[in-house]
């Protein structure tokens, strides 16, 4: 059971959250301009690293806000939490909202 | 025969307790476990072994016993309990088990709860190290929790006697620490509480037994701790030699514990067999208690002289450099065979000596209980000096102390505990320094052991050693390990699975490391460290599903949602169906009606007169803000920004991959206020979806979404006579088709004074209205509709009739007629996909896969036999398809199927490959029961395809 620090509510159990997959996969500004392969990449292809991973979480049973987390996929160490829309900080810098 | 000593022990001789075991009555004392009470009565033998039916006896005094499984019958029925952990109570009844228990058929009346607690420091284990840690941490003012699985604190000290702290009996120190912990305002001590799992970020699950509850039960604690101290102690290992499973072969530490804690002498003539110092105390205390101890067999050629001397003084002969090579006896041990062992351990040297005895107390070394440490992802390393796997590097904020990390002297355990408690509290933000370690005696640092992982047999070789038990619970022997290795296995994980060693109820607590030693020996490995351990997984001890479920069973398993009209539905005798968490009326049978008859009648009322339905479960979302229209334009395939105020529009939403996600009608109530409806089961998902896009992609849009599902009660009034019912119900409203046209909304006050929002929308093709009122008026308005419609014979209908009516019109249900692989075009709704705006998923309609001509289309099916009902889910094949082929080439499947009153026949909806190009074709539905139903493919709209009925 992860302990995740929501940028707005603080530390809460994982059961209050929903997972949202890889962060920073923006909806393309002009989908029509993309090739089928590029659109397919947006739809279906995600990173699966062994190590630090920037991912989205939703505090669904709390403030209902989306935010981003950098989590190590092996150790589950969370090294950064930052609001949606912000760039990924250096993986080893603690960020507070 | 009573084995109870006249004095001593932590039992209450004034409180005799009656109990039965296998139907025989016995008496024990308060403070006994079932096992100690049995031993006191001379009962050593428990159920026979699972596969070989060999007699087996009590071995240990704790959670690591391999044999003493019992079925509790009173005070509560519980399968698979260990006699060594069951606290005796008056009237207890138990029967022995042969490896397997059985669940009681009667409902479990026990009470199980869950509690959640955050602590600064969690200490697991109430022995000397854990007590010391809790003491210092508690003095810092931190919130400290100490959990221990025994009824009283003290750990191994409870089974001792000679240990002293500050010159007084160690248990006096324990009592003083307990008193100080109880006085600390932020410290909580839980006994009978076993830590069963250690999860990410110091999340520790603890199972607390509560025998004090009238029906029994327990509590599952969820702890989140800033810092954890593991003082989990160690398990004494068995030794692997011929006949080591015979009843009377016991753990030396357990024998000592039974002597000192329960005042029970488990045997009259005892031999002790050890690889290290700790069993000397057992031998000396057995002799002091009156047992004959003819010999102490020590694997070490030169044990510490002081110990040998003490044994000699007690009349105990110490046989050095020796091992027990065999046992005698049938149901109970009658003697042992002893031989010298070569220095390299490979062979027996010298003559075999026989000694009569009824007890063999064995110490094969000590294995720190690293289970929780390993579950926390901490690594372990093999310590050659200790001959044990010990905690190495931590993966979380956790410290291991005491014998749980291989420290076996009392002073060392106290020192480590006091220090770790101080460090943990300080790290948690409560600085404190550790006090001076008190002086200790009676439990000194032991000399190095001489581990012997496999005592050679007197005859044969490992392939024939079938009485050298490695995991007695599984009847797995050295011969089995040998066979696994001969079969090519090298990894301990593979050998475990091949031999099933470590997979029985104790999950290898007793035999795990001994098995690794045997494997290392047979593999010719340098040490057990080269073999490594198997993975430790929770739960540390077996727990019941009832404990894990807690109160979340029966009606509390999942929330049940009902509408404000629900009491009326119940009174009317509705049959309910679950739709997500909602309970909805499925149909309203009249006396003597079955479902088909009731639905037929309800459908006819809607098509021919007037009918009404509770549609309150429909998801409802208020979408408010200056950009609400733009926002909906981006989510729906069709346009909403230009929808006039007061009008309604049906819309379809897709995921980015172009697949239909939800549909529903949205009403524009004001320029910046839309009222959106979703399918019943999808309401939460749609709100999530909208919020996700607003927050993560379009934060610039000024829109807010609010769920109002439960704020509104919705009554659908349906049928050719619905207008006249509404006219009476809403006297202030001009209900004419011109004044209140299809797909518009009106606000009015009903005859009973309730303000209402009335939408003219239809999910049946009939003239219909949906009356929305604040939910607290819901029941009153439902009854008003019923009253005002009485003259027209208004008929309540349930979800089944709703489904029939909509299917007759070819309206799909998202999630029934679609499954996440269906586009709007597949549903025949190309008309709803806007060309001149972008929306989520639009680009996907240009993907080659979504443009294929042979995609599955929604079509209608008419069985050739008009009375035959296609089962929903039935697979469809083309006529002439080879049904013997594997797999049969499928054309599609039936998604909805009903009997239609309006059509006078059965019909279905189906997803069929290239279905719109097969209208008029025949398909076959071969069923599991051997029948094949033949049907004709049609357009999906089977009733009133021109839509002539919607205006009444």
């Amino acid at each position: 059971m992860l302990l995740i620090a929501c940028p707005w509510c603080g530390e809460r159990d994982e059961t209050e959250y929903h997972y949202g997959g890889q962060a920073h996969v923006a909806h393309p500004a002009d989908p029509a301009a993309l090739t089928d392969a590029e659109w397919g990449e947006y739809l279906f292809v995600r990173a699966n690293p062994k190590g630090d991973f920037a991912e989205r979480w939703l505090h669904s049973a709390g403030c209902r806000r989306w935010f981003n987390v950098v989590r190590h996929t092996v150790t589950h160490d969370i090294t950064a939490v930052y609001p949606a829309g912000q760039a990924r900080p250096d993986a080893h810098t603690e960020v507070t909202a | 025969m009573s084995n109870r000593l006249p004095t001593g022990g932590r039992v209450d001789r004034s409180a005799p307790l009656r109990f039965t075991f296998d139907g025989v009555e016995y008496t024990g004392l308060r403070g006994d476990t079932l096992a100690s009470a049995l031993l006191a009565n001379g009962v050593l033998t428990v159920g026979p072994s699972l596969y070989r039916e060999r007699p087996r006896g009590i071995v240990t005094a704790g959670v690591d016993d391999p044999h003493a499984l019992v079925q509790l019958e009173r005070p509560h029925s519980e399968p698979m309990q260990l006699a060594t952990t069951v606290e005796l109570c008056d009237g207890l009844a138990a029967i022995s088990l042969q490896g397997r228990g059985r669940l009681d058929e009667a409902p479990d009346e026990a009470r199980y709860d869950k509690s959640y607690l955050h602590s600064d420091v969690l200490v697991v284990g109430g022995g000397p190290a854990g007590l010391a840690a809790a003491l210092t941490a508690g003095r810092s003012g931190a919130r400290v929790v100490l959990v221990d699985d025994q009824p009283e604190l003290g750990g191994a000290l409870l089974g001792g006697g000679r240990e002293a702290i500050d010159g007084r009996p160690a248990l006096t120190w324990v009592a003083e620490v307990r008193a100080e912990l109880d006085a600390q305002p932020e410290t909580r001590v839980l006994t009978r509480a076993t830590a069963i799992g250690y999860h990410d970020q110091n999340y520790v699950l603890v199972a607390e037994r509560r025998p004090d509850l009238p029906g029994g039960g327990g509590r599952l604690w969820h702890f989140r701790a800033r810092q954890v101290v593991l003082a989990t102690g160690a398990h004494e290992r068995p030794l692997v030699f011929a006949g080591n499973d015979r009843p009377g072969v016991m753990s030396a530490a357990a024998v000592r514990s039974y002597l000192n804690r329960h005042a029970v002498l488990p045997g009259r003539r005892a031999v002790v067999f050890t690889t290290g110092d700790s069993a000397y105390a057992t031998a000396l205390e057995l002799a002091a208690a009156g047992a004959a101890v003819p010999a102490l067999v020590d694997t070490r050629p030169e044990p510490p002289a002081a110990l040998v001397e003490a044994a000699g003084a007690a009349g105990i002969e110490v046989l050095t450099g020796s091992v027990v090579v065999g046992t005698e006896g049938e149901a109970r041990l009658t003697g042992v065979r002893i031989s010298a062992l070569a220095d390299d351990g490979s062979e027996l040297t010298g003559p075999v000596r026989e000694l009569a005895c009824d007890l063999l107390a064995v110490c094969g070394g000590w294995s720190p209980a690293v289970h929780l440490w390993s579950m926390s992802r901490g690594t372990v390393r093999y310590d050659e000096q200790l001959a044990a796997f010990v905690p190495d590097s931590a993966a979380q904020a956790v410290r291991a102390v005491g014998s749980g990390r291989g420290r076996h002297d009392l002073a060392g355990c106290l020192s480590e505990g006091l220090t770790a408690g101080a460090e943990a509290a300080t790290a948690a933000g409560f600085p404190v320094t550790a006090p001076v370690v008190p002086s200790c005696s009676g439990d000194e640092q032991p000399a190095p052991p001489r581990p012997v992982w496999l005592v050679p047999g007197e005859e044969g070789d490992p392939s024939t050693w079938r009485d050298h038990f490695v995991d007695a619970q599984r009847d797995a022997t050295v011969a089995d390990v040998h066979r696994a290795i001969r079969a090519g296995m090298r990894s301990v994980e593979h050998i475990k699975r091949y031999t099933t060693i470590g997979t029985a109820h104790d999950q290898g607590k007793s035999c795990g490391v001994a098995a690794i030693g045997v494997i290392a020996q047979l593999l010719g490995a340098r040490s057990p460290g080269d073999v490594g351990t198997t993975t430790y997984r929770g739960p540390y001890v077996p727990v019941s599903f009832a404990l894990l479920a807690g109160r979340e069973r029966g009606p509390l398993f999942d929330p049940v949602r009902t509408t404000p009209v629900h009491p009326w539905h119940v009174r009317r005798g509705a049959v309910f169906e679950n739709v997500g968490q909602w309970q909805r009326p499925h149909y309203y049978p009249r006396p003597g009606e079955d479902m088909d008859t009731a639905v037929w009648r309800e459908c006819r009322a809607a098509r021919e007169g007037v009918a009404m339905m509770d549609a309150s479960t429909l998801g409802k979302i208020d979408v408010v803000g200056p950009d609400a229209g733009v926002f909906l334009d981006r989510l729906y395939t069709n346009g909403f920004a230009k929808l006039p105020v007061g009008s309604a529009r049906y819309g379809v939403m897709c995921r980015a991959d172009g697949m239909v996600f939800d549909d529903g009608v949205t009403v524009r109530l004001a320029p910046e206020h839309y009222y959106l409806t979703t399918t019943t089961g999808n309401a939460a998902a749609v709100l999530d979806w909208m919020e996700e896009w607003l927050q993560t992609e379009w934060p610039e849009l000024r829109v807010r979404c609010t769920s109002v599902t439960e704020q509104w009660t919705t009554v659908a009034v349906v049928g050719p006579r619905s207008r006249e019912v509404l006219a009476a119900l809403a006297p202030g409203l001009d209900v004419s088709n011109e004044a209140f046209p299809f797909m518009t909304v009106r606000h009015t006050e009903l005859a009973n004074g309730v303000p209402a929002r009335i939408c003219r929308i239809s999910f049946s093709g009939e003239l219909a209205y949906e009356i929305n009122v604040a939910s607290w008026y819901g029941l009153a308005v439902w009854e008003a509709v019923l009253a005002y419609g009485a003259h027209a014979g208004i008929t309540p209908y349930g979800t089944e009739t709703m489904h029939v009516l909509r299917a007759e019109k070819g309206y799909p249900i998202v999630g029934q007629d679609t499954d996440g692989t269906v586009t709007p075009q597949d549903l025949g709704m190309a008309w709803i996909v806007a060309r001149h705006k972008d929306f989520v998923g639009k680009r996907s309609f240009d993907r080659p896969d979504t443009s294929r001509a042979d995609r599955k289309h929604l079509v209608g099916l008419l069985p050739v036999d008009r009375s035959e009902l296609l089962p929903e889910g039935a697979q469809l094949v083309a006529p002439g398809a080879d049904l013997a082929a594997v797999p049969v080439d499928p054309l599609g499947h039936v998604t909805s199927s009903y009997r239609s009153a309006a059509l006078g026949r059965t019909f279905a909806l189906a997803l069929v490959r290239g279905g719109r190009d097969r209208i008029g074709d025949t398909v076959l539905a071969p069923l599991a029961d051997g029948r094949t139903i033949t049907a004709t493919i049609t357009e999906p709209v089977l009733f009133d395809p021109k839509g002539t009925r919607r205006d009444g």
Side-chain angles (χ1 to χ4, degrees):
Chain A
M1 171 92 68
L2 296 176
L3 184 67
I4 300 169
C6 169
W8 291 275
C9 308
E11 291 184 338
R12 303 298 178 92
D13 282 347
E14 183 182 346
T15 47
E16 289 192 17
Y17 299 90
H18 269 89
Y19 186 62
Q22 184 177 350
H24 308 299
V25 183
H27 189 255
D30 185 5
L34 301 185
T35 64
D36 283 341
E38 287 165 340
W39 181 247
E41 190 84 11
Y42 164 73
L43 285 182
F44 303 123
V45 181
R46 295 294 182 271
N48 184 23
K50 181 178 181 179
D52 283 330
F53 186 47
E55 59 195 16
R56 307 187 312 155
W57 286 84
L58 167 65
H59 195 186
S60 46
C63 64
R64 298 195 58 80
R65 294 235 234 172
W66 284 93
F67 59 95
N68 297 324
V69 165
V70 175
R71 178 182 61 96
H72 194 282
T73 55
V74 177
T75 65
H76 296 312
D77 286 341
I78 293 172
T79 47
V81 174
Y82 53 102
Q86 278 191 8
R88 173 176 172 167
D90 181 81
H92 295 289
T93 307
E94 192 77 38
V95 171
T96 49
Chain B
M1 181 183 75
S2 174
N3 288 331
R4 184 82 66 183
L5 298 170
T7 59
R10 303 184 67 74
V11 286
D12 182 354
R13 287 181 175 73
S14 70
L17 305 174
R18 288 163 300 128
F19 70 101
T20 68
F21 182 66
D22 285 339
V24 181
E25 292 191 13
Y26 301 100
T27 306
L29 299 176
R30 190 169 307 280
D32 265 329
T33 62
L34 175 57
S36 70
L38 287 171
L39 290 169
N41 284 279
V43 179
L44 174 76
T45 306
V46 289
S49 73
L50 181 55
Y51 302 112
R52 288 173 59 179
E53 303 193 331
R54 287 172 67 95
R56 291 283 163 78
I58 295 164
V59 175
T60 81
V63 296
D64 53 348
D65 195 279
H67 303 148
L69 279 178
V70 299
Q71 176 99 12
L72 276 191
E73 296 187 318
R74 284 194 305 273
H76 325 294
S77 176
E78 293 280 355
M80 300 284 278
Q81 300 294 300
L82 276 177
T84 50
T85 62
V86 171
E87 287 178 53
L88 195 68
C89 63
D90 198 45
L92 183 140
I95 51 178
S96 58
L97 290 177
Q98 187 179 356
R100 292 194 191 97
R102 55 188 173 280
L103 278 177
D104 194 337
E105 303 269 328
D108 186 352
E109 301 297 335
R111 203 178 94 195
Y112 297 97
D113 284 303
K114 293 178 186 175
S115 288
Y116 297 78
L117 194 74
H118 291 252
S119 68
D120 297 308
V121 180
L122 171 67
V123 181
V124 179
L131 283 167
L135 185 69
T136 7
R139 284 176 181 170
S140 74
R143 177 173 294 174
V144 176
V145 177
L146 170 66
V147 301
D148 186 81
D149 68 344
Q150 292 295 305
E152 55 180 335
L153 298 178
L157 296 175
L158 294 169
R162 57 186 59 218
E163 297 85 353
I165 297 174
D166 276 337
R168 293 177 300 157
L171 288 174
T172 305
W173 177 84
V174 170
E176 287 172 0
V177 172
R178 170 81 206 232
E180 182 172 342
L181 294 175
D182 286 344
Q184 289 168 355
E186 290 292 333
T187 298
R188 182 192 293 255
V189 178
L190 292 177
T191 53
R192 299 187 174 95
T194 310
I196 56 170
Y198 197 136
H199 304 273
D200 290 312
Q201 277 129 13
N202 276 355
Y203 197 79
V204 179
L205 288 180
V206 173
E208 181 190 6
R209 304 185 305 283
R210 301 180 68 192
D212 55 308
L213 293 176
R219 185 186 271 131
L220 185 64
W221 289 87
H222 298 246
F223 288 113
R224 178 81 74 177
R226 292 194 192 286
Q227 300 285 322
V228 173
V229 178
L230 293 178
T232 49
H235 297 299
E236 194 175 40
R237 286 197 294 265
L239 281 165
V240 178
F241 54 94
N244 60 344
D245 67 328
R246 206 171 305 283
V249 178
M250 292 182 68
S251 141
V255 168
R256 187 170 178 231
S257 174
Y258 285 123
L259 265 178
N260 294 315
R261 187 171 179 185
H262 303 291
V264 171
L265 190 57
R268 298 301 164 104
R269 187 174 169 83
V271 170
V272 177
F273 177 20
T274 187
T275 58
D277 286 2
S278 64
Y280 281 77
T282 303
L284 294 171
E285 289 168 12
L286 275 169
V293 185
L296 186 155
V297 182
D298 194 328
T299 56
R300 297 173 295 185
E302 292 178 24
L307 293 179
V308 176
E309 197 175 309
I316 303 166
E317 183 185 1
V318 177
L319 304 173
T320 58
S322 296
V323 287
V324 171
V325 298
T327 59
E328 309 288 344
E330 291 300 324
R332 168 132 199 186
L333 185 74
T334 57
V336 295
R337 301 165 61 79
I338 300 164
S339 170
L341 182 68
D343 286 347
D344 67 357
S346 64
E347 57 181 350
L348 304 176
T349 57
V352 169
R353 176 173 163 188
E354 294 183 23
L355 274 179
C357 63
D358 63 356
L359 179 66
L360 177 65
V362 176
C363 174
W366 290 89
S367 295
V370 296
H371 306 67
L372 292 170
W373 175 271
S374 296
M375 283 181 228
S376 80
R377 287 183 282 105
T379 59
V380 297
R381 67 177 171 83
Y382 186 73
D383 186 305
E384 299 285 350
Q385 181 86 359
L386 291 167
F389 290 94
V390 296
D392 191 10
S393 58
Q396 302 195 35
V398 56
R399 293 164 177 78
V401 294
S403 58
R405 66 178 291 269
R407 189 72 191 247
H408 292 303
D409 62 310
L410 181 54
C413 287
L414 290 183
S415 169
E416 290 190 1
L418 292 169
T419 303
E423 288 175 355
T426 303
F430 295 84
V432 68
T433 51
V436 176
V437 181
S439 67
C440 298
S441 66
D443 185 18
E444 317 303 336
Q445 177 105 5
R450 178 198 177 190
V452 172
W453 300 108
L454 175 53
V455 175
E458 293 179 68
E459 306 171 337
D461 59 64
S463 70
T464 65
W465 293 344
R466 294 192 185 86
D467 290 342
H468 280 63
F469 286 88
V470 179
D471 184 351
Q473 296 166 70
R474 289 290 188 215
D475 278 333
T477 65
V478 169
D480 294 317
V481 176
H482 182 267
R483 192 156 46 95
I485 290 169
R486 280 285 299 276
M489 272 156 265
R490 296 295 179 268
S491 157
V492 64
E493 298 281 8
H494 292 156
I495 295 170
K496 166 186 171 172
R497 282 155 182 79
Y498 187 78
T499 60
T500 72
I501 285 172
T503 62
H505 65 267
D506 89 335
Q507 292 283 293
K509 277 187 209 65
S510 58
C511 68
V513 177
I516 293 165
V518 169
I519 292 166
Q521 189 110 344
L522 294 186
L523 283 174
R526 190 178 53 82
S527 92
D530 295 342
V531 174
T533 68
T534 53
T535 305
Y536 293 90
R537 295 190 180 88
Y540 172 68
V541 293
V543 291
S544 69
F545 282 107
L547 175 72
L548 299 178
R551 304 282 181 117
E552 292 153 41
R553 55 185 190 173
L556 298 182
F557 175 65
D558 197 33
V560 174
R561 301 175 77 183
T562 57
T563 74
V565 191
H566 190 74
W568 189 93
H569 301 320
V570 173
R571 282 201 303 277
R572 182 66 168 231
V575 174
F576 290 90
E577 75 164 338
N578 294 329
V579 182
Q581 292 173 331
W582 287 102
Q583 281 210 321
R584 301 193 69 180
H586 195 192
Y587 56 99
Y588 299 85
R590 286 181 176 168
E593 279 187 339
D594 62 8
M595 175 167 142
D596 282 351
T597 321
V599 171
W600 191 275
R601 171 179 53 76
E602 291 172 10
C603 286
R604 285 192 58 187
R607 294 268 183 238
E608 297 168 16
V610 60
M612 61 191 286
M613 187 186 68
D614 181 0
S616 308
T617 63
L618 218 61
K620 311 175 198 78
I621 300 170
D622 268 344
V623 182
V624 178
D627 297 320
V630 174
F631 173 57
L632 294 180
D633 267 4
R634 292 185 190 179
L635 284 187
Y636 279 108
T637 62
N638 50 339
F640 282 85
K642 293 175 186 159
L643 181 69
V645 170
S647 285
R649 182 169 291 165
Y650 172 76
V652 169
M653 236 181 239
C654 294
R655 297 276 190 186
D657 62 5
M659 302 305 153
V660 172
F661 165 50
D662 200 66
D663 69 342
V665 170
T666 293
V667 178
R668 191 169 199 174
L669 296 170
E672 299 186 0
H673 184 183
Y674 291 80
Y675 173 69
L676 178 152
T677 61
T678 74
T679 52
T680 293
N682 242 357
V686 171
L687 182 65
D688 284 350
W689 180 243
M690 297 172 81
E691 290 184 338
E692 178 180 343
W693 284 92
L694 278 175
Q695 289 182 37
T696 65
E697 291 290 347
W698 310 317
E700 73 281 4
L701 293 184
R702 295 160 297 168
V703 183
R704 288 290 178 271
C705 303
T706 307
S707 168
V708 293
T709 300
E710 298 192 344
Q711 278 64 36
W712 293 94
T713 292
T714 305
V715 181
V717 185
V718 176
R721 297 184 70 183
S722 58
R723 183 173 282 132
E724 68 179 77
V725 174
L726 185 67
L729 178 70
L733 188 65
D734 183 348
V735 298
S736 68
N737 194 45
E738 297 69 33
F740 190 180
F742 186 58
M743 292 307 256
T744 59
V745 60
R746 295 291 179 267
H747 291 85
T748 188
E749 188 171 287
L750 302 180
N752 59 4
V754 173
R757 174 191 295 169
I758 303 175
C759 304
R760 222 197 107 188
I761 55 184
S762 176
F763 196 39
S764 58
E766 298 298 324
L767 173 68
Y769 302 88
E770 287 188 359
I771 302 167
N772 296 274
V773 297
S775 56
W776 48 82
Y777 297 128
L779 182 54
V781 168
W782 173 270
E783 288 176 332
V785 173
L786 199 69
Y788 283 95
H791 72 282
I794 195 163
T795 302
Y797 67 93
T799 49
E800 188 66 16
T801 293
M802 173 190 80
H803 277 272
V804 176
L805 298 175
R806 64 87 200 175
E808 289 167 345
K809 290 290 293 177
Y811 298 153
I813 298 260
V814 173
Q816 173 164 342
D817 301 296
T818 74
D819 59 6
T821 67
V822 178
T823 65
Q825 296 87 341
D826 296 339
L827 293 174
M829 291 190 193
W831 54 269
I832 207 167
V833 179
R835 296 185 178 281
H836 302 298
K837 64 153 192 163
D838 195 18
F839 55 85
V840 172
K842 185 178 191 182
R843 173 66 181 81
S844 289
F845 299 140
D846 295 327
R847 292 177 57 231
D849 186 62
T850 47
S851 339
R852 280 188 291 117
D854 65 344
R855 288 186 66 81
K856 286 181 180 175
H857 302 147
L858 185 73
V859 294
L861 288 182
L862 291 174
V864 171
D865 178 341
R866 299 168 63 89
S867 65
E868 198 146 36
L869 187 69
L870 283 158
E872 290 178 352
Q875 296 294 315
L876 301 171
V877 299
D882 177 9
L883 295 184
V886 180
V888 179
D889 184 31
L891 269 187
H893 66 279
V894 176
T895 58
S896 298
S897 178
Y898 309 98
R899 297 179 205 280
S900 166
L903 302 173
R905 56 163 304 139
T906 58
F907 74 105
L909 297 176
L911 286 169
V912 174
R913 198 197 311 154
R916 282 196 293 276
D917 303 320
R918 296 179 191 261
I919 305 294
D921 288 3
T922 297
V923 286
L924 305 180
L927 304 182
D929 63 11
R931 289 182 302 141
T932 296
I933 298 178
T934 307
T936 307
I937 299 177
T938 70
E939 296 286 350
V941 185
L942 289 162
F943 181 74
D944 186 28
K946 293 197 162 55
T948 59
R949 304 178 63 85
R950 70 160 211 224
D951 292 335

